[in-house]
Amino acid sequence: MSAARTTVLLLLAACAPESAGVVHASGVTAYAPLPGKDTAVAYLTLHNDTADDVTVTGATSGEFAAVELHETRLVDGVSSMRELASVTVPAGEALAFEPGGRHLMLGRPSVPPEVGTRITLRLHATEGPILEVSATLEARGGVGGAIATDAVPAAAN
Amino acid sequence: MNTTRPLLAALFVVIGLAGGAWFLSKAVETAEPAHATVLPAPQPLPPFTLTDHRGEPLTRDNLADGWQVLFFGFTNCPDVCPATLTQLSVARRKLAERGVSPLPEILLISVDPERDSPAALADYVGHFGDGVRGATGTVPELRTLTAALGIHFEKEPADDDGDYGVNHSAAVLVIGPEARLNALFSAPHSIDAFVDDLPLLVSGR
């Protein structure tokens, strides 16, 4: 897997004022849409180093008009996908968005979502934005693409 | 000069090598797929007619020769369908590098014929390199095949933007000569599982 080219740009209030830690992200990886498609996908792991649970209620992007929290589920061998209203990262823990599980669906691009395009993602809580990260759209698998999918829990959606 | 010792030593070496080779051959003979579920008796596919990404018919007879790894999905799936196809295409590339023969063809059958025209499938499968074929058909045609294979698919209601998902079984099926279902890989999948087991399956062990 090519290293995720990720920069945490901005870190805003993560939770209650008395919290000493921060919320940050690692492993941010975003894949450009496949040929003929306009939906990209992003994965990352959220780390909640604060003393309080943090609930992410949505996400936005400067390059995509529709960003949704989604989850692929595999039940009895059948996969399905559903939109998540929110996800909670417990205090002191991490929560992964990864292939075959939770992911950020990036739709309605406002710029050509080509490989190499730099994008920003903002995660929001009820109180407001909590985290902004950037990533570069990578080619997914296939010819010359990133091989980032070994041991992927393969449910489809 | 005493020639007995060198002869005995050589004899022990020969016996040791022969024994090692025998054990190795037995080990290879008895290797079994560690990840795939192999059917006790290969199950013939029913007659069906789909259309592939080149606009050509895809029938049971077209699958009579060689091996296919078959995955049901759809091209608007942004998460795991491309992940599974990536795993399969990477595994196929690794098997080719190892000289595995015959190399299985990767076959994506779309359960979303409404959106997945042959042209859409051609764009999509072309991304995953050689040896990948896409196909779809009418829902009744698809049901003919999926019912026989125990594959489930179900279109979800569209949202306000007209977008919808399709729930479907995530197994990868291994179709062998004479268009028979030989084995299946249950999700979650991994490249290593395909690389480990497919050579055993296509060689008939």
Side-chain angles (χ1 to χ4, degrees), chain A residues 34-37 39-41 43 68 72 74 77-81 98-101 103 105 108 139-144 146-147 149-157, chain B residues 71 74-84 86-87 89-90 93 116 120 123-124 126-129 152 156 161 166-171 187-192:
Chain A
L34 285 162
K37 306 299 165 192
T39 303
V41 65
Y43 304 102
E68 296 174 354
T72 299
L74 182 66
V78 175
S79 68
S80 60
M81 192 174 73
E98 56 192 359
H103 53 277
M105 279 221 345
R108 288 191 240 148
R140 174 162 219 169
V143 182
I147 301 171
T149 50
D150 204 0
V152 169
N157 52 51
Chain B
F71 179 70
F74 61 108
T75 70
N76 276 70
C77 150
D79 180 34
V80 174
C81 298
T84 301
T86 298
Q87 291 171 316
S89 61
V90 170
R93 226 180 298 162
D116 287 342
D123 279 346
Y124 191 82
H127 179 77
F128 295 96
H152 169 84
E156 292 209 315
D161 298 318
V166 184
N167 305 333
H168 59 88
S169 302
H189 302 300
S190 76
I191 294 169
D192 287 345

Side-chain angles (χ1 to χ4, degrees), chain A residues 72-135:
Chain A
T72 299
R73 306 182 76 192
L74 182 66
V75 178
D76 295 332
V78 175
S79 68
S80 60
M81 192 174 73
R82 63 177 181 142
E83 185 175 357
L84 300 171
S86 64
V87 293
T88 297
V89 191
E93 295 188 16
L95 188 77
F97 286 66
E98 56 192 359
R102 299 178 199 89
H103 53 277
L104 292 166
M105 279 221 345
L106 316 177
R108 288 191 240 148
S110 54
V111 298
E114 297 162 351
V115 171
T117 301
R118 197 78 174 157
I119 66 167
T120 56
L121 299 170
R122 290 176 203 85
L123 300 181
H124 302 263
T126 308
E127 301 82 6
I130 56 167
L131 181 66
E132 180 171 307
V133 299
S134 68

